[in-house]
Amino acid sequence: MDLDSDDENRIDEDYYAFLNVSKEAASDEISNAYRRLSRLYHPDKHFEPEQKKKAEALFNKTKRAYEILSDPHQRAIYDSLGIRGLETEGWEIVQRTKTPAEIRAEYEQLAQERADRRMQQSTNPRGTVTVNINATDCFNPYYDELDYDELDLGGPGLFPNIEVSGMNFSQSVEFPLTQRDTCTLSGQLQTSNGTGVGGVNLGWRRLFSHKGWIETEVGAGNGPTLSVKGFRTLSKRFFWNGGTILQFAPTGIRPGIMSTLAMQIDKYSVGYFSYRGGMQSLLSTSVVRDTEFGHYNFSLQFGLPHSYASLSYAKKMLKQELKLRIAFKIGTFGGLIEYGAEKKVSKHSNLSASVVVGMPTGVKLKIRLTRANQVYTFPVHLCEEIMPAPIFYATVVPLVVYIVVKKAIVEPFLKEKQQRKIEKQRENNRTRLVEKRREAEAAIDLMRATYSRIKNEEETKKGLIILKAVYGKTVEASTEIDEVESETIDVTVPLQCLVRDSKLVLHEQSKSQLPGFFDPCVGEDKWLHIQYKFHSSDYVVTINDNESLRIPKPSHRSNVT
């Protein structure tokens, strides 16, 4: 769902982490965690006025966490919307007879409708810019010796002739009229070798249901046009889209028709069968398979002026936010092979580069930048023949330029941007951070007696003893505990208090919400470093903030004797 920037920077309570249970925890696990913390923080167990005051605050927080997570109705709201959902007025009138799944679905639907309304308030602009560059003079210089002699130009120039051979611009904006009606205004402009054409289109789309829509469009440019398009879901596995177009030319009316039938083959695969009739008739079929780790596409086309077969594969490297792609295409026009990569360079931007080698096209380099709904493409024609030099430079130069720009410009910029975001987050949560620090210090103070008891019990049976634990920024496994940076906190006491039967279990969530913890470096990566003893042997482990942990574990055993 869309959140305001202030909400994104807000530190919210994580009651699952506070109770040290997973988000899938059953009711008995939540009850056990509540009873454990209640015994620790109950005000009647503390007699000094200052400690009793601290205990009351933490006991109330423990009680609040239990009330929310033990109530399926409130838990469903909390899971979907967090504390803000519980603080919003009106949830109390929602039917309590609904299941948690129904509540989640209802709130997600409300959030989606709100996001849709916000989107409809904007014009949702979309655009593409294509600049065709002819750089064949770099590898295939052409000159007429006779012309140079007659004009006394002294032969070819020192620098190759690189020119823009063509450009293509298109832009569209949407104007939502009602929840079901949208008006679209679009335009195109294309130039090539000094000549150009353009056009403007005005369309209206009516959404009948989630199963279908119809669109009417009129255009002007290379003669007036009128088209009607539609989409319809036929069943769970089949859907159809198609339409007809009429172009009014001086020689008469040119009709055209297009139709596509698609079938969901399985969870990841869709098959398409298309027909287009008119000036350039064609019949095509394709199968597209899109999984978490790869994208496959096989196509066959028969028609005028060309028929071809194509096969492409893209490997998705999710951790690196990278796609590697290779494609083959062969037909009546000749054949080609294309290989390249696409990298996500920011939250809304993707950069891709690919090399096309074929007959009779030669060698081309395609560079594309996608920024939100704007696409900028730069096809560079390097050579009309297949030669090793242009293939080498087309492959290596973009990679070298990307690395240099990334290291010299992009990374410093993103680092500065991230630092500004962290500073803003800290400023917005300054008061909240002070409260969380005091709460953590109060919790540790109240844990002292429990810490001593659990530690003595574990020492007696040579069980799990937390020797030292720190939490915060840049804590490496090889770093000496006494030399860690100042943006860390000592969490030895709270971790020892979480030990049960010589075992410590931490779940896959931020550790900053655990009792006795707080966030010492808001907005930055955090680590938890633990040195512990088990059966008189020393162990050491370092995990990142959201990583789960179970100790003791043989692989944590220290080599230091």
Side-chain angles (χ1 to χ4, degrees), residues 7-73:
D7 289 339
E8 290 178 349
N9 292 323
R10 169 179 168 175
I11 297 178
D12 223 341
E13 295 284 1
D14 187 341
Y15 288 138
Y16 290 103
F18 182 73
L19 296 179
N20 192 30
V21 296
S22 68
K23 292 188 176 182
E24 296 77 26
S27 57
D28 57 340
E29 295 179 70
I30 295 173
S31 298
N32 291 336
Y34 167 68
R35 285 195 293 268
R36 192 161 55 243
L37 289 182
S38 296
R39 289 194 295 269
L40 183 62
Y41 297 136
H42 201 287
D44 292 345
K45 292 183 175 291
H46 305 278
F47 304 101
E48 295 182 8
E50 185 176 349
Q51 284 198 332
K52 183 178 284 290
K53 184 178 180 181
K54 295 176 182 178
E56 286 177 354
L58 288 165
F59 180 76
N60 288 335
K61 182 177 179 179
T62 304
K63 185 178 179 181
R64 173 66 170 159
Y66 176 70
E67 289 175 349
I68 292 173
L69 300 186
S70 62
D71 184 336
H73 179 78

Side-chain angles (χ1 to χ4, degrees), residues 291-295 313-325 340-344:
T291 67
E292 183 180 1
F293 302 104
H295 181 91
Y313 167 69
K315 179 177 177 58
K316 301 178 183 178
M317 305 172 70
L318 302 180
K319 292 184 178 180
Q320 293 81 9
E321 296 182 325
L322 178 69
K323 293 181 182 178
L324 301 179
R325 182 176 181 271
E342 180 178 339
K343 172 70 175 176
K344 185 174 183 179

Side-chain angles (χ1 to χ4, degrees), residues 128-142:
T128 62
V129 176
T130 302
V131 181
N132 295 290
I133 301 173
N134 187 347
T136 56
D137 201 40
C138 294
F139 300 97
N140 264 148
Y142 173 81

